[in-house]
mmCIF file of all heavy atoms in Angstrom:
data_model
loop_
_atom_site.group_PDB
_atom_site.id
_atom_site.type_symbol
_atom_site.label_atom_id
_atom_site.label_comp_id
_atom_site.label_asym_id
_atom_site.label_seq_id
_atom_site.Cartn_x
_atom_site.Cartn_y
_atom_site.Cartn_z
ATOM 1 N N HIS B 96 -5.721 83.876 -18.899
ATOM 2 C CA HIS B 96 -5.798 83.293 -17.560
ATOM 3 C C HIS B 96 -5.492 84.362 -16.510
ATOM 4 O O HIS B 96 -6.232 84.522 -15.543
ATOM 5 C CB HIS B 96 -4.782 82.157 -17.397
ATOM 6 C CG HIS B 96 -5.207 80.853 -18.013
ATOM 7 N ND1 HIS B 96 -4.761 80.447 -19.238
ATOM 8 C CD2 HIS B 96 -6.022 79.866 -17.568
ATOM 9 C CE1 HIS B 96 -5.281 79.267 -19.520
ATOM 10 N NE2 HIS B 96 -6.054 78.879 -18.532
ATOM 11 N N TYR B 97 -4.402 85.106 -16.741
ATOM 12 C CA TYR B 97 -4.013 86.126 -15.759
ATOM 13 C C TYR B 97 -5.074 87.208 -15.623
ATOM 14 O O TYR B 97 -5.357 87.688 -14.528
ATOM 15 C CB TYR B 97 -2.654 86.739 -16.140
ATOM 16 C CG TYR B 97 -1.494 85.850 -15.773
ATOM 17 C CD1 TYR B 97 -0.714 85.246 -16.743
ATOM 18 C CD2 TYR B 97 -1.192 85.603 -14.425
ATOM 19 C CE1 TYR B 97 0.341 84.410 -16.392
ATOM 20 C CE2 TYR B 97 -0.143 84.774 -14.071
ATOM 21 C CZ TYR B 97 0.626 84.183 -15.059
ATOM 22 O OH TYR B 97 1.657 83.356 -14.705
ATOM 23 N N GLU B 98 -5.672 87.553 -16.761
ATOM 24 C CA GLU B 98 -6.719 88.568 -16.735
ATOM 25 C C GLU B 98 -7.890 88.079 -15.879
ATOM 26 O O GLU B 98 -8.463 88.819 -15.088
ATOM 27 C CB GLU B 98 -7.195 88.799 -18.177
ATOM 28 C CG GLU B 98 -7.596 90.218 -18.486
ATOM 29 C CD GLU B 98 -8.009 90.364 -19.944
ATOM 30 O OE1 GLU B 98 -7.242 89.919 -20.826
ATOM 31 O OE2 GLU B 98 -9.100 90.874 -20.185
ATOM 32 N N MET B 99 -8.209 86.788 -16.038
ATOM 33 C CA MET B 99 -9.299 86.197 -15.263
ATOM 34 C C MET B 99 -8.932 86.133 -13.781
ATOM 35 O O MET B 99 -9.757 86.430 -12.922
ATOM 36 C CB MET B 99 -9.600 84.802 -15.829
ATOM 37 C CG MET B 99 -10.789 84.106 -15.203
ATOM 38 S SD MET B 99 -12.279 85.116 -15.040
ATOM 39 C CE MET B 99 -12.954 85.044 -16.666
ATOM 40 N N LEU B 100 -7.687 85.779 -13.484
ATOM 41 C CA LEU B 100 -7.253 85.709 -12.079
ATOM 42 C C LEU B 100 -7.349 87.080 -11.415
ATOM 43 O O LEU B 100 -7.798 87.197 -10.272
ATOM 44 C CB LEU B 100 -5.818 85.169 -11.977
ATOM 45 C CG LEU B 100 -5.587 83.735 -12.488
ATOM 46 C CD1 LEU B 100 -4.113 83.361 -12.357
ATOM 47 C CD2 LEU B 100 -6.455 82.723 -11.764
ATOM 48 N N GLU B 101 -6.965 88.120 -12.164
ATOM 49 C CA GLU B 101 -7.075 89.494 -11.651
ATOM 50 C C GLU B 101 -8.532 89.831 -11.345
ATOM 51 O O GLU B 101 -8.856 90.407 -10.308
ATOM 52 C CB GLU B 101 -6.532 90.507 -12.675
ATOM 53 C CG GLU B 101 -5.022 90.532 -12.807
ATOM 54 C CD GLU B 101 -4.331 91.088 -11.561
ATOM 55 O OE1 GLU B 101 -4.976 91.848 -10.817
ATOM 56 O OE2 GLU B 101 -3.161 90.718 -11.331
ATOM 57 N N TYR B 102 -9.411 89.459 -12.291
ATOM 58 C CA TYR B 102 -10.846 89.712 -12.115
ATOM 59 C C TYR B 102 -11.352 89.045 -10.836
ATOM 60 O O TYR B 102 -12.033 89.670 -10.017
ATOM 61 C CB TYR B 102 -11.613 89.200 -13.341
ATOM 62 C CG TYR B 102 -13.098 89.088 -13.135
ATOM 63 C CD1 TYR B 102 -13.945 90.180 -13.315
ATOM 64 C CD2 TYR B 102 -13.678 87.874 -12.737
ATOM 65 C CE1 TYR B 102 -15.310 90.078 -13.106
ATOM 66 C CE2 TYR B 102 -15.040 87.766 -12.529
ATOM 67 C CZ TYR B 102 -15.854 88.853 -12.704
ATOM 68 O OH TYR B 102 -17.192 88.753 -12.490
ATOM 69 N N LEU B 103 -10.989 87.773 -10.657
ATOM 70 C CA LEU B 103 -11.446 87.016 -9.488
ATOM 71 C C LEU B 103 -10.939 87.655 -8.194
ATOM 72 O O LEU B 103 -11.681 87.800 -7.224
ATOM 73 C CB LEU B 103 -10.959 85.564 -9.566
ATOM 74 C CG LEU B 103 -11.520 84.716 -10.708
ATOM 75 C CD1 LEU B 103 -10.777 83.383 -10.807
ATOM 76 C CD2 LEU B 103 -13.018 84.464 -10.527
ATOM 77 N N ARG B 104 -9.678 88.076 -8.214
ATOM 78 C CA ARG B 104 -9.094 88.686 -7.021
ATOM 79 C C ARG B 104 -9.754 90.031 -6.703
ATOM 80 O O ARG B 104 -10.030 90.333 -5.547
ATOM 81 C CB ARG B 104 -7.582 88.850 -7.192
ATOM 82 C CG ARG B 104 -6.831 87.520 -7.123
ATOM 83 C CD ARG B 104 -5.342 87.692 -7.303
ATOM 84 N NE ARG B 104 -4.735 88.527 -6.267
ATOM 85 C CZ ARG B 104 -4.393 88.092 -5.043
ATOM 86 N NH1 ARG B 104 -4.593 86.834 -4.718
ATOM 87 N NH2 ARG B 104 -3.867 88.906 -4.162
ATOM 88 N N ASN B 105 -10.033 90.798 -7.755
ATOM 89 C CA ASN B 105 -10.710 92.081 -7.535
ATOM 90 C C ASN B 105 -12.093 91.893 -6.940
ATOM 91 O O ASN B 105 -12.505 92.621 -6.043
ATOM 92 C CB ASN B 105 -10.826 92.864 -8.854
ATOM 93 C CG ASN B 105 -9.479 93.400 -9.291
ATOM 94 O OD1 ASN B 105 -8.574 93.546 -8.477
ATOM 95 N ND2 ASN B 105 -9.337 93.667 -10.582
ATOM 96 N N LYS B 106 -12.820 90.908 -7.473
ATOM 97 C CA LYS B 106 -14.169 90.618 -6.961
ATOM 98 C C LYS B 106 -14.081 90.225 -5.490
ATOM 99 O O LYS B 106 -14.869 90.668 -4.658
ATOM 100 C CB LYS B 106 -14.806 89.464 -7.757
ATOM 101 C CG LYS B 106 -15.321 89.882 -9.100
ATOM 102 C CD LYS B 106 -16.731 90.407 -8.973
ATOM 103 C CE LYS B 106 -17.082 91.206 -10.210
ATOM 104 N NZ LYS B 106 -18.301 91.961 -10.092
ATOM 105 N N PHE B 107 -13.114 89.350 -5.206
ATOM 106 C CA PHE B 107 -12.957 88.889 -3.828
ATOM 107 C C PHE B 107 -12.607 90.063 -2.904
ATOM 108 O O PHE B 107 -13.199 90.223 -1.845
ATOM 109 C CB PHE B 107 -11.880 87.808 -3.732
ATOM 110 C CG PHE B 107 -11.504 87.492 -2.318
ATOM 111 C CD1 PHE B 107 -12.372 86.750 -1.516
ATOM 112 C CD2 PHE B 107 -10.324 87.955 -1.760
ATOM 113 C CE1 PHE B 107 -12.053 86.474 -0.195
ATOM 114 C CE2 PHE B 107 -10.008 87.697 -0.437
ATOM 115 C CZ PHE B 107 -10.870 86.952 0.344
ATOM 116 N N ASN B 108 -11.677 90.886 -3.350
ATOM 117 C CA ASN B 108 -11.247 92.017 -2.522
ATOM 118 C C ASN B 108 -12.364 93.015 -2.266
ATOM 119 O O ASN B 108 -12.380 93.688 -1.240
ATOM 120 C CB ASN B 108 -10.050 92.723 -3.162
ATOM 121 C CG ASN B 108 -8.785 91.894 -3.018
ATOM 122 O OD1 ASN B 108 -8.632 91.148 -2.046
ATOM 123 N ND2 ASN B 108 -7.895 91.989 -3.992
ATOM 124 N N SER B 109 -13.307 93.119 -3.209
ATOM 125 C CA SER B 109 -14.414 94.044 -2.977
ATOM 126 C C SER B 109 -15.576 93.341 -2.260
ATOM 127 O O SER B 109 -16.662 93.903 -2.121
ATOM 128 C CB SER B 109 -14.874 94.688 -4.288
ATOM 129 O OG SER B 109 -15.244 93.707 -5.203
ATOM 130 N N GLY B 110 -15.339 92.098 -1.841
ATOM 131 C CA GLY B 110 -16.334 91.396 -1.020
ATOM 132 C C GLY B 110 -17.520 90.845 -1.784
ATOM 133 O O GLY B 110 -18.546 90.523 -1.202
ATOM 134 N N GLU B 111 -17.384 90.721 -3.107
ATOM 135 C CA GLU B 111 -18.511 90.222 -3.897
ATOM 136 C C GLU B 111 -18.486 88.707 -4.028
ATOM 137 O O GLU B 111 -17.430 88.103 -4.038
ATOM 138 C CB GLU B 111 -18.488 90.852 -5.302
ATOM 139 C CG GLU B 111 -18.941 92.295 -5.321
ATOM 140 C CD GLU B 111 -18.861 92.885 -6.723
ATOM 141 O OE1 GLU B 111 -19.544 92.366 -7.611
ATOM 142 O OE2 GLU B 111 -18.102 93.839 -6.907
ATOM 143 N N GLN B 112 -19.683 88.119 -4.141
ATOM 144 C CA GLN B 112 -19.808 86.680 -4.353
ATOM 145 C C GLN B 112 -19.343 86.330 -5.762
ATOM 146 O O GLN B 112 -19.648 87.048 -6.713
ATOM 147 C CB GLN B 112 -21.287 86.266 -4.260
ATOM 148 C CG GLN B 112 -21.806 86.067 -2.874
ATOM 149 C CD GLN B 112 -21.574 84.646 -2.369
ATOM 150 O OE1 GLN B 112 -20.650 83.956 -2.796
ATOM 151 N NE2 GLN B 112 -22.393 84.224 -1.433
ATOM 152 N N LEU B 113 -18.624 85.251 -5.883
ATOM 153 C CA LEU B 113 -18.236 84.796 -7.218
ATOM 154 C C LEU B 113 -19.263 83.804 -7.720
ATOM 155 O O LEU B 113 -19.557 82.816 -7.056
ATOM 156 C CB LEU B 113 -16.862 84.127 -7.159
ATOM 157 C CG LEU B 113 -15.700 85.066 -6.853
ATOM 158 C CD1 LEU B 113 -14.442 84.277 -6.581
ATOM 159 C CD2 LEU B 113 -15.484 86.022 -8.013
ATOM 160 N N THR B 114 -19.834 84.105 -8.885
ATOM 161 C CA THR B 114 -20.808 83.183 -9.472
ATOM 162 C C THR B 114 -20.457 82.966 -10.930
ATOM 163 O O THR B 114 -19.741 83.764 -11.538
ATOM 164 C CB THR B 114 -22.246 83.754 -9.413
ATOM 165 O OG1 THR B 114 -22.280 84.949 -10.210
ATOM 166 C CG2 THR B 114 -22.665 84.067 -7.996
#
Side-chain angles (χ1 to χ4, degrees):
Chain B
H96 281 99
Y97 282 112
E98 214 178 310
M99 185 47 80
L100 298 178
E101 286 291 336
Y102 165 85
L103 295 170
R104 288 180 61 81
N105 288 338
K106 283 274 163 191
F107 169 74
N108 287 330
S109 57
E111 285 178 61
Q112 278 273 27
L113 292 170
T114 63

